[in-house]
Amino acid sequence: MQLAFFPSRQISWYMARQFLTRTLVVLLLLVVVLQTLDLLGESGDILAYPGNGDPQLWHYVGLRVPQIIARFLPFSVLLGTLVMLATLNQNSEIISMKAAGLSAHQILAPLVAAALGVALISYAFNERIVARSTAALAAWQAVDYGPVPPDKGVKSNPWVLDGNNLVSVAIVAGRGTQVQLRKIEIFNRINNSLTTIIQAPRGHYDAPSKSWVLEGATQFDVARGTMTNIGTVRFGRDIRPDQFTLAKVDPDALTFSELQSAISDLHDAGRPTAELQANLWHKLSGPLSALLMPILGSVAAFGLARSGQLFVRAVMGMALGFAYFVADNFSLAMGSLGAYPPFLAAWAPFFLFLLVGETVLFRTEE
């Protein structure tokens, strides 16, 4: 038996080329079909805005295609792996490789190496293109496919913690020390019990004193049930202006570093970040799922094709691959709900199915 991890250079290039070719063909077919169906569903809304026509439809396609590629690339790797390995098995090429002394891991090594390259390209593609297209499409959809207004820094309904007190603001406008607040509510708590509620129609940041000023404030005493006009109030010396300008963070519209920075700001503002932390780690584990597909689909490579079980083996490989995607989505959802730690929610399915794939491969072929 050969001791090298990879087979010969000719076999390695042959298998890697076959793997990449079939993966790209499957991806192309999926993108064409899914984009066509998606465009049929959205074209009515796009054309409903006065003045929109074919250029806007093509603009939508340009923004939507990167999202479809990013979402279905792992599926394409799985299906490409199954098609390639089933074909090699049908043509007795796998049998020839094993007769030459290659182990199952040596046969799969070129595919794993090629899948690693796909994973790296997928990560770079997500960072450079998908995040930007997702943000642009979300902004366009927010105005019903009309002209996208320039970002004026207006945010709605942020809230922050000021010690044990909760501060809620309906509208925040401006940036830096020029932040203006509208419809402010401060819920003062002692030992987690609500004592008073301060309300003010407007407020602003006072840079010299590094505090916030509320104008025309009123105070409601919860115990007595009385309302009092208290005029001008200062609060929040520990609250930075950028903490109020935090809106809902879309992890798909941010790069890894941008999301990491947003999580840090949200954490400083006292807002929950478990969901975003799980999505942050998933930006790494998601592209790396391409590494699992050759291992999970390897069940279609081995066994005698003439035994009539090739189709069953291909279905088993597909079932393993799709089970991973189900487990991955479930784990991410549990992480968003706080049931799983963020790191575990993002990485547990990857390592679990890596172990499952290796177990199946060792017990059946090694």
Side-chain angles (χ1 to χ4, degrees):
M1 179 178 293
Q2 296 185 21
L3 298 179
F5 183 71
F6 287 93
S8 67
R9 179 179 300 180
Q10 291 79 3
I11 294 179
S12 297
W13 279 113
Y14 170 73
M15 296 190 66
R17 185 172 63 252
Q18 295 287 323
F19 168 75
L20 293 175
T21 301
R22 283 156 177 76
T23 297
L24 292 177
V25 169
V26 172
L27 179 62
L28 179 61
L29 293 175
L30 286 176
V31 169
V32 171
V33 172
L34 295 173
Q35 179 59 79
T36 301
L37 295 175
D38 182 69
L39 186 60
L40 288 174
E42 290 291 328
S43 58
D45 294 334
I46 297 173
L47 297 176
Y49 192 89
N52 282 357
D54 289 344
Q56 283 69 35
L57 292 177
W58 285 111
H59 180 59
Y60 174 80
V61 170
L63 295 177
R64 191 72 176 94
V65 164
Q67 294 181 337
I68 295 176
I69 292 176
R71 180 175 295 274
F72 290 96
L73 181 58
F75 289 93
S76 302
V77 175
L78 172 63
L79 296 178
T81 299
L82 291 172
V83 171
M84 174 204 168
L85 293 180
T87 302
L88 293 181
N89 193 359
Q90 183 70 37
N91 295 334
S92 300
E93 294 177 80
I94 297 293
I95 299 298
S96 301
M97 294 179 192
K98 296 189 71 175
L102 296 179
S103 67
H105 282 87
Q106 286 176 311
I107 294 174
L108 294 177
L111 277 64
V112 174
L116 177 60
V118 171
L120 295 176
I121 294 174
S122 176
Y123 175 79
F125 181 75
N126 293 343
E127 291 286 291
R128 299 293 299 176
I129 298 177
V130 177
R132 296 178 182 179
S133 66
T134 300
L137 183 57
W140 195 25
Q141 290 175 331
V143 293
D144 298 325
Y145 299 108
V148 179
D151 184 10
K152 296 181 179 179
V154 178
K155 310 296 181 183
S156 60
N157 299 318
W159 58 270
V160 300
L161 286 176
D162 180 21
N164 196 40
N165 305 325
L166 177 64
V167 182
S168 175
V169 181
I171 300 176
V172 180
R175 297 180 182 277
T177 58
Q178 304 301 316
V179 170
Q180 299 290 322
L181 309 180
R182 295 293 183 270
K183 297 182 180 180
I184 309 101
E185 289 184 314
I186 303 176
F187 300 88
N188 295 313
R189 300 181 297 178
I190 298 178
N191 296 327
N192 293 325
S193 297
L194 185 63
T195 57
T196 60
I197 301 176
I198 298 176
Q199 297 177 320
R202 60 188 179 274
H204 65 274
Y205 184 70
D206 183 29
S209 63
K210 296 183 179 180
S211 63
W212 296 87
V213 178
L214 302 184
E215 303 171 7
T218 59
Q219 178 174 287
F220 176 75
D221 191 302
V222 175
R224 298 179 181 180
T226 58
M227 182 73 73
T228 307
N229 292 323
I230 56 178
T232 301
V233 176
R234 292 182 179 271
F235 78 99
R237 292 182 178 273
D238 296 327
I239 301 177
R240 305 189 313 272
D242 62 333
Q243 292 178 248
F244 273 119
T245 58
L246 295 173
K248 180 176 176 59
V249 177
D250 182 4
D252 295 330
L254 300 176
T255 65
F256 185 89
S257 59
E258 291 172 343
L259 182 56
Q260 196 172 32
S261 177
I263 290 173
S264 177
D265 291 340
L266 288 169
H267 182 269
D268 293 341
R271 296 173 61 180
T273 60
E275 177 181 1
L276 296 178
Q277 288 178 353
N279 280 276
L280 178 70
W281 288 114
H282 196 261
K283 285 183 176 291
L284 299 178
S285 64
L288 281 178
S289 64
L291 284 175
L292 292 178
M293 299 305 111
I295 299 175
L296 297 180
S298 64
V299 67
F302 306 104
L304 296 177
R306 62 176 180 270
S307 66
Q309 299 298 315
L310 180 58
F311 178 75
V312 176
R313 286 174 168 269
V315 172
M316 289 176 56
M318 186 177 298
L320 282 174
F322 278 88
Y324 165 76
F325 295 118
V326 172
D328 185 51
N329 289 330
F330 175 79
S331 180
L332 199 60
M334 290 298 99
S336 300
L337 295 175
Y340 292 174
F343 185 84
L344 182 65
W347 286 104
F350 178 87
F351 289 109
L352 173 62
F353 277 83
L354 178 61
L355 179 62
V356 169
E358 285 291 332
T359 300
V360 172
L361 190 61
F362 267 107
R363 291 184 64 87
T364 58
E365 296 301 325
E366 297 286 20

